[in-house]
Amino acid sequence: MRTDDFWAVISRATADRPASPADVAKRAAADLATRDPEEIVAWGRHLDKVMVASGTQDLWAAAYLINGGCSEDGFDSFRGWLIAHGRDAVARSVKSPDSLADVAVVRQAAETGAVFEAEEVLSIAAEAYAQATGEDLPAEERPVTRPEAADLWDFDDEEEMQRRLPKLSALFLAPPD
């Protein structure tokens, strides 16, 4: 599957600005369910590629700041939330995780404590396959899509966080006394 074809599914699912990433996931799964099972599997493989490309330490650190902590599954769900916002949102945040500080809902989250996760986006291919065939998505070897938690730099090191993610740190870290 080509990258453009993968993102076209997400674009159609977000065409009229649905209320939530869960709605994006439902729409994308319904769209994919109309296709051949092989194409659904290929879409799922491409999702894995997006997850690998977005599995950076600094993006994980950004999710950690924004969501007030971030486990391995939480990082995956955060990236699901990003994917639900489309190709540009993912590309921008992978290139510069600190650019998330420019997103209105992220700025608001500094005040409200909102958490950004969309696990259902990660299940679009499985849901579509089940709708199309009545069966589970065939099991395949999945790539590693994020660094090992033990290999991460210390996200609780505020000086390092401020150095790597200055705009997000200004929003989410308490000013020094």
Side-chain angles (χ1 to χ4, degrees), residues 45-113:
R45 282 191 205 116
H46 201 87
L47 175 62
D48 287 343
K49 291 177 184 178
V50 171
M51 294 295 285
V52 168
S54 64
T56 68
Q57 288 192 46
D58 284 352
L59 185 57
W60 195 340
Y64 186 90
L65 272 177
I66 293 166
N67 284 348
C70 192
S71 67
E72 293 174 353
D73 290 341
F75 181 46
D76 292 347
S77 293
F78 179 80
R79 290 180 291 157
W81 174 80
L82 279 175
I83 291 165
H85 287 83
R87 186 179 196 168
D88 290 341
V90 173
R92 198 172 33 256
S93 61
V94 169
K95 182 178 180 182
S96 174
D98 207 32
S99 70
L100 287 163
D102 301 326
V103 176
V105 294
V106 172
R107 286 193 311 271
Q108 292 167 357
E111 299 293 323
T112 65

Side-chain angles (χ1 to χ4, degrees), residues 6-15 18 20-35 40 43 83-84 120-129 131:
F6 171 86
W7 286 111
V9 171
I10 298 296
S11 291
R12 285 190 295 276
T14 60
S20 71
D23 290 338
V24 171
K26 285 179 192 170
R27 292 175 179 193
D31 180 348
L32 276 176
T34 66
R35 301 176 187 207
I40 298 168
W43 193 92
I83 291 165
E120 53 276 297
V121 171
L122 307 177
S123 301
I124 290 171
E127 180 60 32
Y129 197 87
Q131 288 177 29

